[in-house]
Amino acid sequence: MLFDAAEIARRVDALAGEIARDIRGDLLAVVILKGSFVFAADLIRALERAGLSPQVDFITLASYGAGSESAGRVSLVRDLSEDVRGRTVLIVDDIVDTGRTLKFAREELLGRGAAAVRTCLLLDKRAKRNVAIEPDYVGFAIEDRFVVGYGLDLAHRYRGLPYIGVVVPTTP
Ligand code: PRP
């Protein structure tokens, strides 16, 4: 266990407070699926408690590669339904690793005419970054370890764990 449910809940509330202090008025939260659906559900409700009521839309991006390593190619699997032109957008994702997904999403939204794009990441695995991008809001900075739970998967499973855990390899 890296972060338990209570620790995550406290941090998500604090993040929502920071965001609500910085951003006023119209906001479109763009949730990057699949991994961030659990974080986003909690963050959106925390934002509401903090006095900010964003619209919400979803985009599915995937970075393809073998096993736990992302290979460097980001593809758009399912698009937004909203027009982002002129909007202030908050990208919500579970983890930034190499940074490619976040960079792709940010450039895509700016390219479509978003007025401003802010980024909120629950986890930041800084050691793995290989493109220049820094998220605006970060829940927890973590070491280079493979994490699961609270939306994050291992081979498409364990997304429903209420905590974030580190995968420990077992010997056969
Ligand atoms: C994960 C995660 C981020 C991305 C981060 O998504 O949800 O979107 O990788 O990695 P990067 O910084 O190296 O681009 P993944 O492609 O595994 O898909 P999923 O969210 O559907 O599990």
Side-chain angles (χ1 to χ4, degrees):
M1 171 120 65
L2 195 54
F3 304 111
D4 67 21
E7 203 172 357
I8 296 168
R10 280 195 299 274
R11 193 67 195 110
V12 171
D13 267 349
L15 273 179
E18 278 180 56
I19 294 165
R21 274 192 295 278
D22 292 351
I23 301 176
R24 300 264 162 224
D26 176 66
L27 177 67
L28 175 66
V30 166
V31 178
I32 301 183
L33 298 175
K34 300 176 188 167
S36 67
F37 74 101
V38 177
F39 171 47
D42 285 344
L43 183 71
I44 300 299
R45 287 178 289 180
L47 285 172
E48 203 78 46
R49 289 194 294 276
L52 191 62
S53 189
Q55 291 184 24
V56 184
D57 201 1
F58 302 91
I59 189 169
T60 305
L61 300 179
S63 50
Y64 289 105
S68 61
E69 296 292 321
S70 69
R73 200 169 64 79
V74 178
S75 71
L76 176 58
V77 177
R78 223 174 283 117
D79 207 349
L80 297 169
S81 57
E82 298 293 323
D83 186 348
V84 300
R85 254 176 301 182
R87 310 286 308 271
T88 298
V89 175
L90 179 71
I91 293 175
V92 179
D93 204 357
D94 53 351
I95 187 166
V96 52
D97 197 332
T98 66
R100 291 192 197 100
T101 302
L102 190 58
K103 184 167 188 282
F104 177 94
R106 190 170 180 279
E107 288 177 354
E108 185 68 26
L109 295 170
L110 287 170
R112 295 180 189 189
V117 177
R118 312 299 297 272
T119 56
C120 179
L121 280 291
L122 178 64
L123 303 174
D124 183 354
K125 204 188 270 188
R126 289 183 186 145
K128 295 294 286 291
R129 194 83 85 257
N130 66 13
V131 298
I133 190 157
E134 284 305 318
D136 297 305
Y137 304 97
V138 170
F140 303 100
I142 62 167
E143 307 286 311
D144 182 15
R145 301 166 87 186
F146 193 86
V147 285
V148 294
Y150 198 68
L152 293 120
D153 73 303
L154 170 64
H156 306 289
R157 298 182 64 189
Y158 307 114
R159 293 190 197 270
L161 293 174
Y163 57 86
I164 295 170
V166 175
V167 177
V168 181
T170 53
T171 45

